[in-house]
Amino acid sequence: MNGNRTAFLQGLSKIPGLTLVTDSAELKYLAKDRTGTGSESAMVLAEPESEKQIQSIVRLCREFQVSIVPQGGRTGYAGGASSSGNDLLLSLHRMNRILELNPYLPSLRAQAGCITRSIQDYARKEGYYFPVDFASSGSSQIGGNAATNAGGIRFIRYGGMRNHILGMKAITGTGEILETNGEILKDNTGYNLKELLIGSEGTLGIITELTLALTAQPPESVVLLCAHSTSGDVLELLAHCRRSGLDLHAFEFFNQGCLQKVAEHLKLDLPFSNPVPYYSLLEFTLDNASEEFLESGELFQLCFEALPASSDSGKKKFWSYREGISESLSAGPVHKNDISIPLAGIPSYLDQLQQLLEQRFTDLQSYLFGHIGDGNIHINLKPADGSLSTLDFHDQCRSFDQANTELIQSFHGSISAEHGIGTLKKAALLTVRSETEIQLMQSIKATFDPDWILNPGKIFDRMQDSGIK
Amino acid sequence: MNGNRTAFLQGLSKIPGLTLVTDSAELKYLAKDRTGTGSESAMVLAEPESEKQIQSIVRLCREFQVSIVPQGGRTGYAGGASSSGNDLLLSLHRMNRILELNPYLPSLRAQAGCITRSIQDYARKEGYYFPVDFASSGSSQIGGNAATNAGGIRFIRYGGMRNHILGMKAITGTGEILETNGEILKDNTGYNLKELLIGSEGTLGIITELTLALTAQPPESVVLLCAHSTSGDVLELLAHCRRSGLDLHAFEFFNQGCLQKVAEHLKLDLPFSNPVPYYSLLEFTLDNASEEFLESGELFQLCFEALPASSDSGKKKFWSYREGISESLSAGPVHKNDISIPLAGIPSYLDQLQQLLEQRFTDLQSYLFGHIGDGNIHINLKPADGSLSTLDFHDQCRSFDQANTELIQSFHGSISAEHGIGTLKKAALLTVRSETEIQLMQSIKATFDPDWILNPGKIFDRMQDSGIK
């Protein structure tokens, strides 16, 4: 910080209409995101209601060299919205208005603080569909989704946030407003700054408004819950779906450990009489192709058992096995990884991962689930029994991450498919992206935010000039 | 240039295996792209066959401060591949190998110099489909398509190049190789440099290799050629298609002037007995929705006449009315605009455009056509009769562009939907993008290419440090 804390807070309090929170108990709670990492404190929370207020905040923070942590629903898994101790937390939650529906595209213009579910509900009420969806849709915000380029369970059919952002308003680290693209589908006028801001985790600009592409309501669908003896069968089932011309809405998977946890947590019956190592959950359009698929010999070869559901309640129950997993793992220590692997390599990667865990990490219990149809697997680790200290657990997880990063690289995969880098993957980023790339990113950061006040310490730390050629 | 031209050319000739062309007649031809603008000469043409050769070229050019103009098929409409007189032209045409098909995604890895049609043909032969398509597919290169974020006639169903680039290799202005994303669908590891390079018109990096997303073969389709009395009816027909749940593959339009030109040029019969102001060309999946649509009362209300074609030859003939337009206008002077407008505003924009032309530009004849379902219209101007001198024609076009840019801005549209900025739209770019945006772009340019040797003078001119805050 540059200058006097009291003077800074006084300056803030003079911004017309701006709500501030300085209560330390409240700040202690808000200083962390879902990961529980970061500092126990922050300097102040600002709750702006307009771009103008945000511009004033940014300019004041620049003058006093105060770091800004933009916060959406704080539902991230990478520490991207956590405080480093003396920051200004900037919550978007008061900027939660849906502004305009355009029925021609169709599209919806909305402020960044809108809850994801409210966007989904509004679209559905108007006869459209907003397909970006995940377990945290009830609390995540649409601006945070854009800042992290969120993916989710419908990616396989619709893509993620990047595919649904037509226009964006954002405020840079110098307090300037960027308004990019708007409601046009095609715009090749210079570098696409919008695409750069998507997934930049609040380090290049504070996203304040989005124009979102909506789609038609999805067609009637079937959910199929399948039990598999090998991960190879899961991938072969995906290939069989593709060959069958199935219109997939989702292709998810989880292992036996996840099923046990979620059934206990949600008090659900086990869907199959005998446990198997892997389960897949498919959703697809009910059409001629799906009718043939459901009768196909390959389906029965690749699945130990396969249960279809076409009623709303049946589909919901099957989905709860998948969507309840994260929550069922949240009691006690848990270490999360969110990786992606080119599809062809997945069975081999999973075999090698299993070997790695069995040979070197017998104190860790692994829970694997995720969007396997996109090549995206969430690896969750917990202590195998109660005897492992928290410190030892975290040590082992760190070692695991190192070994796993090497393994992922050998498959040309990604160490962060949809969760982003935040603070938790910073070290790994330096090993998976080249020096050239890191330098380009650092320089782009300095371009949008010359004083490094926007979410500093997220994605990467500031390297001194010597590091940048 | 910094230093001795002979020394530079000697250095080039020492790069192992590199083919060089210095014949001035050949260079004169290659110094221009399809727009015919730019210089009559260039210093040398290099035809590399590997990334390694390109890295050597870039480093040598950096040492001697020689500008590099990357060239694909030179089919652009913005002057983006034209020489400024003393440049090194870098043609990618020898890097034209298809490297690998991945049937799981499915995707295709290919070198940047592959002709678009060869990618389409390869995909089709293997049972897949590459949907980015336009009139110049037979000569444009896939790397140039990426560098300009090309759109085309299937955008409405599949999106453009941006939607089909999974991974990219490119060489920056310092000769470093960037390898981004590869064959994974999800990758949130820092800023997405690939998205930034798409559409950057060779100013940030020389694209050398792409991993392209393929899709399933399109379903059986119908082509419908419609005659309309008003542009409003064209837009209402689009809304009717959307309400009918029609699976649109294309929604194109052209005006009466275009139809006349193309029929003369290709010696085609006129499809309708009476001329009307506007025509639309639709292609959509043959399914239940399309059967209902073809019988619907709204279709007959919105169209003066509507002719369906479902045979290959019939569809091809209807498409030739649309795809032959550009070529039919190419004899004599022609001035091109490629704009996009939010869909809701199109009828009103077209009315005001018509007024503008009738009131102020009676010496110009306008030919309107394009991808109206995407809000994208190509405005082509030619002298109304032979009496207008070339100089006066270009003067009038310049005045028209200024007035049209204002009009487009009042509709929140884009002055370049899919053609890019190149040299021809540079002046207009400064009026439609904010100072903040231009400064950010300039600074990003300097980050990737500190010596401004990659296609300098395209998109924008270099502003001196004083211009960048």
Side-chain angles (χ1 to χ4, degrees):
Chain A
M1 180 164 190
N2 178 10
N4 187 300
R5 181 185 170 113
T6 316
F8 171 71
L9 291 171
Q10 269 175 359
L12 266 189
S13 69
K14 282 182 191 145
I15 296 173
L18 178 63
T19 307
L20 297 171
V21 175
T22 51
D23 176 72
S24 62
E26 205 166 333
L27 290 177
K28 181 179 170 180
Y29 172 71
L30 295 166
K32 292 174 183 297
D33 64 8
R34 184 177 282 184
T35 59
T37 57
S39 168
E40 297 278 321
S41 65
M43 196 196 310
V44 58
L45 168 76
E47 302 180 330
E49 292 176 50
S50 70
E51 272 97 9
K52 212 175 154 190
Q53 288 178 345
I54 297 179
Q55 289 182 289
S56 302
I57 294 168
V58 170
R59 286 175 183 145
L60 196 69
C61 285
R62 200 177 172 201
E63 187 188 332
F64 284 86
Q65 297 284 298
V66 170
S67 301
I68 298 170
V69 179
Q71 293 190 327
R74 297 185 299 113
T75 58
Y77 281 127
S82 60
S83 170
S84 67
N86 209 23
D87 306 330
L88 176 138
L89 308 177
L90 192 151
S91 169
L92 276 299
H93 78 97
R94 286 176 190 267
M95 293 181 68
N96 62 354
R97 280 183 301 137
I98 289 179
L99 299 167
E100 195 183 9
L101 179 88
N102 174 342
Y104 285 87
L105 284 172
S107 69
L108 192 64
R109 197 158 58 83
Q111 288 187 306
C114 288
I115 300 291
T116 314
R117 176 126 332 124
S118 74
I119 300 279
Q120 294 168 343
D121 290 347
Y122 188 94
R124 194 173 281 118
K125 191 171 58 76
E126 296 288 333
Y128 303 101
Y129 184 60
F130 181 68
V132 181
D133 193 22
F134 16 72
S136 65
S137 289
S139 48
S140 67
Q141 291 175 12
I142 201 73
N145 298 349
T148 55
N149 187 27
I153 56 177
R154 303 294 175 187
F155 186 97
I156 200 167
R157 187 172 207 252
Y158 297 97
M161 278 303 290
R162 186 179 300 281
N163 305 89
H164 292 86
I165 300 175
L166 294 173
M168 178 191 283
K169 256 194 208 173
I171 291 159
T172 68
T174 58
E176 302 289 335
I177 289 195
L178 284 182
E179 258 192 277
T180 63
N181 306 80
E183 291 191 337
I184 44 179
L185 293 168
K186 290 173 164 181
D187 183 20
N188 280 344
T189 51
Y191 307 153
N192 198 315
L193 304 178
K194 178 195 78 178
E195 297 292 343
L196 190 58
L197 262 78
I198 296 170
S200 66
E201 304 187 35
T203 64
L204 298 181
I206 300 163
I207 297 170
T208 60
E209 189 184 303
L210 295 163
T211 304
L212 301 163
L214 305 178
T215 70
Q217 301 260 21
E220 212 181 322
S221 67
V222 189
V223 171
L224 191 70
L225 188 62
C226 307
H228 305 278
S229 346
T230 69
S231 61
D233 284 350
V234 180
L235 262 285
E236 275 312 305
L237 183 61
L238 175 62
H240 177 47
C241 290
R242 294 299 193 197
R243 279 190 300 267
S244 307
L246 217 58
D247 178 16
L248 283 170
H249 300 206
F251 194 107
E252 302 283 309
F253 104 121
F254 43 92
N255 69 0
Q256 166 62 11
C258 293
L259 180 61
Q260 223 168 337
K261 277 275 182 196
V262 79
E264 280 165 25
H265 182 72
L266 298 178
K267 300 185 181 32
L268 296 169
D269 303 331
L270 288 172
F272 301 106
S273 38
N274 294 309
V276 293
Y278 297 105
Y279 302 90
S280 65
L281 186 148
L282 286 60
E283 186 164 349
F284 45 82
T285 300
L286 186 62
D287 57 13
N288 293 341
S290 71
E291 281 169 29
E292 279 178 35
F293 171 82
L294 287 168
E295 302 293 326
S296 64
E298 291 92 331
L299 176 62
F300 293 96
Q301 277 163 27
L302 298 168
C303 304
F304 209 76
E305 282 185 79
L307 303 171
S310 52
S311 71
D312 283 350
S313 62
K315 292 199 270 187
K316 202 170 165 183
K317 187 181 166 192
F318 282 1
W319 265 111
S320 62
Y321 291 117
R322 166 63 188 85
E323 289 211 288
I325 294 171
S326 259
E327 198 189 296
S328 76
L329 297 170
S330 63
V334 59
H335 178 78
K336 286 172 181 291
N337 266 289
D338 163 46
I339 67 124
S340 75
I341 297 287
L343 284 166
I346 283 191
S348 169
Y349 168 77
L350 286 175
D351 285 348
Q352 292 187 45
L353 176 68
Q354 201 59 38
Q355 275 176 33
L356 177 71
L357 287 161
E358 281 170 12
Q359 285 167 9
R360 288 183 45 198
F361 300 97
T362 49
D363 290 340
L364 300 177
Q365 177 70 40
S366 65
Y367 300 88
L368 307 182
F369 60 100
H371 321 295
I372 201 161
D374 313 321
N376 182 189
I377 301 166
H378 301 313
I379 304 167
N380 281 223
L381 300 174
K382 290 179 83 69
D385 61 48
S387 65
L388 196 67
S389 76
T390 307
L391 211 66
D392 286 346
F393 171 67
H394 286 302
D395 271 355
Q396 291 222 12
C397 289
R398 254 192 299 277
S399 306
F400 168 80
D401 281 358
Q402 278 177 7
N404 189 36
T405 296
E406 278 175 37
L407 188 56
I408 292 164
Q409 284 193 281
S410 73
F411 281 92
H412 303 288
S414 169
I415 57 158
S416 185
E418 55 176 18
H419 290 171
I421 300 299
T423 53
L424 300 185
K425 295 282 167 200
K426 272 197 296 189
L429 187 76
L430 298 178
T431 69
V432 299
R433 301 293 291 257
S434 70
E435 206 184 320
T436 302
E437 287 175 295
I438 298 286
Q439 285 170 2
L440 288 170
M441 290 187 210
Q442 294 250 330
S443 176
I444 290 169
K445 163 73 174 167
T447 293
F448 281 78
D449 178 22
D451 291 280
W452 285 62
I453 56 170
L454 294 182
N455 223 8
K458 310 296 160 63
I459 305 182
F460 36 60
D461 291 312
R462 186 177 194 167
M463 286 172 196
Q464 290 317 311
D465 291 343
S466 62
I468 302 175
K469 278 171 198 159
Chain B
M1 182 163 188
N2 178 9
N4 188 300
R5 183 185 168 112
T6 315
F8 171 72
L9 290 172
Q10 269 174 359
L12 264 189
S13 69
K14 283 183 192 144
I15 296 173
L18 178 64
T19 308
L20 297 171
V21 175
T22 51
D23 175 72
S24 63
E26 203 165 336
L27 289 177
K28 181 178 172 183
Y29 172 71
L30 294 167
K32 293 176 183 295
D33 63 8
R34 184 176 284 186
T35 61
T37 58
S39 168
E40 297 278 321
S41 65
M43 195 196 311
V44 59
L45 168 76
E47 302 179 329
E49 292 175 52
S50 70
E51 273 96 8
K52 213 175 152 188
Q53 288 178 344
I54 298 179
Q55 287 182 290
S56 302
I57 294 168
V58 170
R59 287 176 183 142
L60 195 71
C61 285
R62 202 178 171 201
E63 187 188 331
F64 284 86
Q65 297 285 300
V66 171
S67 300
I68 299 170
V69 178
Q71 292 189 330
R74 297 184 299 113
T75 57
Y77 281 129
S82 60
S83 172
S84 67
N86 209 22
D87 307 329
L88 175 139
L89 308 177
L90 192 151
S91 169
L92 276 298
H93 78 97
R94 286 178 190 265
M95 292 179 70
N96 63 353
R97 280 183 301 137
I98 290 179
L99 299 168
E100 194 183 9
L101 179 88
N102 173 344
Y104 285 87
L105 284 171
S107 69
L108 193 64
R109 198 157 58 83
Q111 288 187 307
C114 289
I115 300 292
T116 314
R117 178 130 326 129
S118 74
I119 300 280
Q120 294 168 343
D121 290 347
Y122 188 94
R124 194 173 282 116
K125 191 172 56 77
E126 296 289 332
Y128 303 101
Y129 185 59
F130 181 68
V132 182
D133 193 22
F134 17 72
S136 64
S137 289
S139 48
S140 67
Q141 291 175 13
I142 200 71
N145 297 348
T148 56
N149 188 28
I153 55 177
R154 303 294 174 186
F155 186 98
I156 200 167
R157 188 173 206 251
Y158 298 98
M161 277 305 288
R162 188 180 297 283
N163 306 89
H164 292 87
I165 300 174
L166 294 173
M168 179 191 282
K169 257 194 209 175
I171 291 159
T172 68
T174 58
E176 302 289 335
I177 289 197
L178 282 182
E179 257 192 278
T180 65
N181 304 82
E183 290 190 340
I184 44 179
L185 294 168
K186 291 174 162 178
D187 183 21
N188 280 343
T189 50
Y191 307 153
N192 198 315
L193 304 178
K194 177 195 78 179
E195 297 292 343
L196 190 59
L197 262 80
I198 297 169
S200 66
E201 304 186 34
T203 64
L204 299 181
I206 300 163
I207 297 170
T208 59
E209 188 183 304
L210 293 164
T211 304
L212 301 162
L214 305 179
T215 70
Q217 302 259 22
E220 211 181 322
S221 67
V222 189
V223 171
L224 191 71
L225 188 61
C226 307
H228 305 277
S229 347
T230 70
S231 61
D233 284 351
V234 180
L235 261 284
E236 275 312 305
L237 183 61
L238 175 62
H240 177 47
C241 290
R242 294 299 193 196
R243 280 190 299 269
S244 308
L246 218 59
D247 179 16
L248 283 170
H249 300 205
F251 194 107
E252 302 282 310
F253 103 122
F254 43 91
N255 68 1
Q256 167 61 13
C258 293
L259 179 62
Q260 223 168 338
K261 276 276 181 195
V262 80
E264 281 165 23
H265 182 73
L266 298 178
K267 301 184 178 36
L268 296 169
D269 303 331
L270 288 173
F272 302 105
S273 38
N274 294 309
V276 292
Y278 297 105
Y279 302 91
S280 64
L281 186 147
L282 285 60
E283 184 163 350
F284 45 82
T285 301
L286 186 62
D287 57 13
N288 293 341
S290 72
E291 282 171 27
E292 280 178 36
F293 171 81
L294 287 168
E295 300 295 325
S296 65
E298 289 93 330
L299 177 61
F300 293 95
Q301 276 163 28
L302 298 168
C303 304
F304 209 76
E305 280 185 81
L307 303 172
S310 51
S311 70
D312 282 350
S313 63
K315 291 199 272 186
K316 202 171 166 186
K317 185 180 169 193
F318 282 0
W319 266 111
S320 63
Y321 291 117
R322 166 63 188 87
E323 289 210 288
I325 294 171
S326 258
E327 198 189 295
S328 75
L329 297 170
S330 62
V334 58
H335 178 78
K336 287 173 181 288
N337 266 289
D338 163 46
I339 67 124
S340 75
I341 297 287
L343 284 167
I346 283 190
S348 169
Y349 168 77
L350 286 175
D351 285 349
Q352 292 187 46
L353 176 69
Q354 201 57 38
Q355 276 176 34
L356 177 71
L357 287 161
E358 282 170 10
Q359 285 166 11
R360 291 183 44 198
F361 300 97
T362 47
D363 290 339
L364 300 177
Q365 178 69 41
S366 65
Y367 299 87
L368 307 181
F369 59 101
H371 321 295
I372 202 163
D374 314 321
N376 182 189
I377 301 166
H378 301 312
I379 304 167
N380 282 224
L381 301 174
K382 290 180 85 69
D385 61 48
S387 66
L388 196 66
S389 77
T390 306
L391 211 63
D392 286 345
F393 171 66
H394 287 302
D395 271 354
Q396 290 222 14
C397 289
R398 256 192 299 277
S399 307
F400 168 80
D401 281 357
Q402 278 176 7
N404 190 35
T405 296
E406 276 175 39
L407 189 56
I408 291 165
Q409 284 193 280
S410 73
F411 282 92
H412 303 287
S414 170
I415 58 158
S416 184
E418 55 176 18
H419 290 172
I421 299 300
T423 53
L424 299 185
K425 295 284 166 198
K426 272 197 295 188
L429 187 76
L430 298 178
T431 70
V432 300
R433 301 293 292 256
S434 69
E435 207 186 318
T436 303
E437 287 175 295
I438 299 287
Q439 284 170 1
L440 288 171
M441 289 186 212
Q442 294 249 331
S443 177
I444 290 169
K445 163 74 174 165
T447 294
F448 281 78
D449 179 21
D451 291 282
W452 287 61
I453 56 170
L454 294 182
N455 223 6
K458 311 296 160 64
I459 304 182
F460 36 60
D461 290 313
R462 186 177 194 167
M463 286 171 195
Q464 289 317 311
D465 291 345
S466 63
I468 302 177
K469 277 171 198 159

